[in-house]
Amino acid sequence: MNSHPEIILRAIEPEDLDLLYRIENDRSLWNISSTNVPYSRYALHDYIANSTGDIYSDRQVRMMIENSEHTVVGIVDLVNFDPAHRRAELGLIIEKPYRKSGYALSAIEAISEYAVRVLHLSQIYAIIDLENVACLTLFRKLHWDESSRLHDWLFTGIEYHDAIVMQKHF
């Protein structure tokens, strides 16, 4: 039996706008993503409305992570999709009240299965701040390969941090 919680990955719905707005505008997350400007509700509403959910059209796929009570606990996405090389970058945010509860592990396993079985990707990768020990520990636990160190890769607004590229080959 799994020691981590069951989750469901589902498409973004209009009802997710407030959560998406809160996450995309959380400045504490900007140093771990490519976002560095706030998003308006209008822009996010437009994103939800126009997202096809097709990674080949959008070059990304974003899914909401629901727990067994159908509460959204986070967001997982595959971005920077490269169809020629069959790879994509993994992004993951778990809402603060649900962190350290196994949801990240469940989400990584679920999106990995989706990547290989549905999208037929050969690999996914994640770029992780070297100082994010909890995240690095999780990916190591899941047997992802550490492929390289990126020096001064992530800027916190005050200083640069090194990052580690973690890869999962299928």
Side-chain angles (χ1 to χ4, degrees), residues 27-38:
R27 291 177 187 258
S28 70
L29 301 174
W30 287 4
N31 65 317
I32 61 168
S33 72
S34 58
T35 300
N36 62 3
V37 295

Side-chain angles (χ1 to χ4, degrees), residues 48-106:
I48 292 170
N50 293 311
S51 177
T52 67
D54 178 5
I55 196 167
Y56 287 92
S57 313
D58 299 340
R59 295 291 190 238
Q60 68 176 358
V61 64
R62 176 173 276 182
M63 295 186 207
M64 307 308 286
I65 306 164
E66 284 188 353
N67 65 16
S68 58
E69 289 82 35
H70 301 289
T71 301
V72 175
V73 299
I75 301 173
V76 64
D77 50 21
L78 294 172
V79 298
N80 297 324
F81 171 61
D82 185 336
H85 299 289
R86 296 179 30 222
R87 67 176 174 242
E89 181 180 347
L90 172 73
L92 174 67
I93 296 291
I94 301 295
E95 286 272 272
K96 286 181 185 174
Y98 304 101
R99 291 180 186 164
K100 299 183 181 179
S101 301
Y103 290 114
L105 187 146
S106 295

